[in-house]
Amino acid sequence: MQDVQPHMPAPTQDPQAFLKALYDVAVQRALPLHNTAAHLPVPPKGRTLVLGAGKAGGAMAQAVEALWPHDAPLSGLVVTRYGHTPPRPVGLPERIEVVEASHPVPDAAGLQAAERILALTQGLTADDLVLCLISGGGSSLLTLPADGIDLQLKQDINRQLLASGANISEMNCLRKHLSRIKGGRLAAACCPARVVTLTISDVPGDDPSIIASGPTVPDATSCADALAILKRYAITVPDSVLQALQSGAWETPKPGSPVFAGHSVHMIATPQQSLEAAAAAAREQGLNAYILSDEIEGESREVGKVHAALARAAAKGLGPFTKPCVILSGGETTVTIKPQPTGTPKGRGGRAGEFCMGLAQGLQGQPGVWALAADTDGIDGIEDNAGAQVSPDTLARAAALGHKVDEHLQRNDAYGFFEPLGDLVITGPTHTNVNDFRAILVV
């Protein structure tokens, strides 16, 4: 996404364009180049090695390259999602290698990148600095399975997790304990060098141990926690995996471990900052702006219905929100994939689209209410859209085409519902990731 000030249409003249502009404001607030300089350490006596993973990895690497002293040594390797490396600015020398791999299901390219990243830590000294660039998506991109787990099994476990309805902290707890690089293990490999982690939060609560499964920070969860998650969501794994977890053989480095001595973590962009930027832009247009929370979790469709109830009340002059207003929220909701009868077409879509279907269902065509929900990385699930938009006539236009929101919800098919309406939000990769962005306009 280019670094230009979004044009802000009048909310009452073009509500959907206005909401898209608010999304753009939120994304720009989280771009790495805006947020990195204040957190960079001084160059060390030795060399500086840059390692990283995440959907913002390419943009974060370019920010460091632009801001790091030209006469100070700088090298390293960062892995990002396919198609998420931003165009290189003219005249910016390439000092950090950026490679691409698969997300949300890991692939051989991610495995190779993780192996190379771990290998680069060999030979580091106490005079060296490791600058780790961590953002959402790193759990899949930085794939180095524990001994006894091959890539195919890791992929299968990941697919089961994605369909289970587990929240991000649960998924990443399990991922950490099935890895040789996550859950603080990358930091341990960097000893005795100093590690400085710059991270962009995509998780509720901004916990760095959850972002990309915390490769450079202590892990307070345990093998017992990972076992409980396997049981809770009926994730099928071989007996060898169960035995390794039961024995504690795959335990992660814990808080207080000397491997983290002298290390630091800097949160350079957060969901709350992006929501506040959008709220400020809305207020400049004469609207009241309310931020519900940047930590909302739960089933996407149900969260959509709750938001619908709040918007309907505001539209009727009731409840805590005074129109004209924008109601904003963030976080990371979940989608539990529903079993389908044999022969049912596979549904398409992600959390934002499912939220919008639940919202539309709850609004029931409420006049004066428009909404947008989109992932700030530009990708909702595994499709090419960031999310979707809802307007007062969404259900009516869908019905005219023979589409019923209930049926699309039943098969988790948000893409199939909104695409014929022309209501998908398509941005392409944004080169950052502060997770879900939701905005509801009530006039």
Side-chain angles (χ1 to χ4, degrees):
M1 178 169 289
Q2 294 182 342
D3 185 11
V4 295
Q5 185 64 32
H7 170 66
M8 191 63 62
T12 55
Q13 293 179 359
D14 193 341
Q16 292 185 323
F18 169 74
L19 291 170
K20 175 58 169 57
L22 288 186
Y23 168 85
D24 291 341
V25 167
V27 167
Q28 288 212 9
R29 176 62 181 84
L31 290 177
L33 191 59
H34 296 172
N35 303 290
T36 300
H39 303 289
L40 286 177
V42 298
K45 180 180 178 181
R47 64 191 182 99
T48 298
L49 177 66
V50 178
L51 305 174
K55 297 175 190 174
M60 294 179 81
Q62 288 185 6
V64 171
E65 288 172 326
L67 297 166
W68 199 251
H70 296 299
D71 57 351
L74 186 71
S75 63
L77 176 65
V78 170
V79 57
T80 192
R81 180 176 175 162
Y82 290 123
H84 283 242
T85 304
R88 176 161 292 276
V90 176
L92 180 65
E94 182 177 353
R95 298 193 276 175
I96 304 165
E97 183 182 358
V98 177
V99 298
E100 298 183 343
S102 176
H103 177 280
V105 177
D107 68 355
L111 176 61
Q112 183 182 47
E115 290 173 337
R116 291 181 60 198
I117 284 172
L118 201 59
L120 286 172
T121 66
Q122 299 301 308
L124 289 167
T125 73
D127 291 331
D128 298 327
L129 169 69
V130 180
L131 196 58
C132 286
L133 310 179
I134 304 299
S135 57
S139 293
S140 298
L141 298 165
L142 200 63
T143 296
L144 196 59
D147 292 333
I149 298 179
D150 60 18
L151 178 60
Q152 184 175 355
L153 176 56
K154 193 69 178 287
Q155 290 171 327
D156 176 64
I157 294 170
N158 217 50
R159 290 189 183 97
Q160 291 185 68
L161 277 173
L162 291 169
S164 70
N167 65 35
I168 189 62
S169 62
E170 292 170 321
M171 287 195 282
N172 285 359
C173 170
L174 185 57
R175 288 164 168 163
K176 284 186 275 192
H177 288 90
L178 304 184
S179 172
R180 287 187 285 130
I181 198 168
K182 301 182 182 76
R185 292 187 178 92
L186 178 58
C190 292
C191 286
R194 178 188 173 210
V195 176
V196 174
T197 300
L198 306 184
T199 187
I200 294 177
S201 175
D202 72 325
V203 302
D206 303 331
D207 184 345
S209 72
I210 300 176
I211 303 165
S213 297
T216 62
V217 296
D219 176 35
T221 68
S222 66
C223 285
D225 295 324
L227 278 167
I229 291 163
L230 287 174
K231 181 178 180 181
R232 186 177 309 138
Y233 294 101
I235 306 297
T236 303
V237 297
D239 289 342
S240 58
V241 172
L242 294 175
Q243 291 165 5
L245 291 173
Q246 288 165 350
S247 71
W250 291 344
E251 200 51 271
T252 49
K254 301 303 173 197
S257 169
V259 303
F260 301 108
H263 293 195
S264 60
V265 178
H266 302 278
M267 199 74 60
I268 70 169
T270 68
Q272 182 68 23
Q273 291 170 349
S274 287
L275 291 174
E276 288 174 354
R283 292 181 185 118
E284 289 177 359
Q285 296 295 310
L287 300 174
N288 297 310
Y290 305 97
I291 298 175
L292 297 180
S293 172
D294 69 336
E295 300 185 35
I296 292 177
E297 298 181 86
E299 279 291 327
S300 294
R301 64 181 65 191
E302 300 305 324
V303 173
K305 292 174 185 176
V306 172
H307 280 61
L310 295 172
R312 283 171 63 89
K316 297 173 183 177
L318 305 172
F321 307 132
T322 303
K323 67 176 183 179
C325 67
V326 170
I327 303 169
L328 300 163
S329 72
E332 182 160 4
T333 58
T334 53
V335 174
T336 303
I337 304 300
K338 294 181 174 294
Q340 300 296 320
T342 302
T344 303
K346 185 179 179 181
R348 301 169 62 192
R351 301 188 308 265
E354 184 116 343
F355 168 89
C356 284
M357 286 198 295
L359 180 74
Q361 188 180 53
L363 287 173
Q364 287 297 309
Q366 175 67 49
V369 178
W370 289 261
L372 176 148
D375 199 311
T376 52
D377 66 4
I379 304 296
D380 187 24
I382 61 172
E383 303 299 339
D384 61 359
N385 66 311
Q389 291 190 321
V390 174
S391 59
D393 62 353
T394 292
L395 296 183
R397 287 185 291 121
L401 296 175
H403 294 284
K404 297 180 179 179
V405 70
D406 292 0
E407 295 176 356
H408 284 263
L409 276 168
Q410 179 60 36
R411 60 177 186 270
N412 305 107
D413 188 27
Y415 197 99
F417 182 78
F418 288 106
E419 194 272 339
L421 302 177
D423 285 345
L424 294 176
V425 176
I426 298 178
T427 65
T430 64
H431 310 125
T432 191
N433 182 19
V434 288
N435 232 318
D436 300 345
F437 173 85
R438 296 177 287 268
I440 302 174
L441 172 66
V442 184
V443 297

